Amino acid sequence: MADIIQDLAEVIPPDLRNRVKQELLMGWRMDEAKAKAEAKQSAIFNHANEARSIDGVGQLKARIPLAAWHYWGQRLGYECWEDKA
């Protein structure tokens, strides 16, 4: 994998490498900030609507952001989400 990254880095002109690096870093930080904002909004909504549960359906325990679901699923295997611990 490192060889592929090195090959790609060599293709990018030297004057653009730093700009590409910054774009990749900023893009990751942007996704991270969006995920945090969405989690906060979801928590506010869930807290405000907690009394509107439906009898017999059960209680909501958590909402997992899609990015987190796939990150941990790919890292640990998707069966990790079935682990009660």
Side-chain angles (χ1 to χ4, degrees), residues 14-81:
D15 57 314
L16 293 179
R17 285 184 191 156
N18 195 38
R19 289 174 54 191
V20 170
K21 176 183 171 185
Q22 290 302 316
E23 180 63 28
L24 291 172
L25 289 173
M26 296 303 270
W28 167 249
R29 295 295 181 205
M30 182 179 64
D31 289 345
E32 182 181 19
K34 277 190 344 186
K36 285 181 181 179
E38 288 172 5
K40 187 175 183 177
Q41 285 280 349
S42 181
I44 291 168
F45 177 81
N46 290 340
H47 181 70
N49 294 299
E50 189 173 7
R52 298 183 187 171
S53 62
I54 300 171
D55 290 334
V57 174
Q59 183 179 9
L60 176 67
K61 297 291 184 186
R63 290 185 191 264
I64 310 298
L66 187 60
W69 174 269
H70 287 298
Y71 174 81
W72 290 108
Q74 291 175 4
R75 188 166 179 188
L76 302 175
Y78 285 94
E79 62 275 358
C80 73
W81 294 109

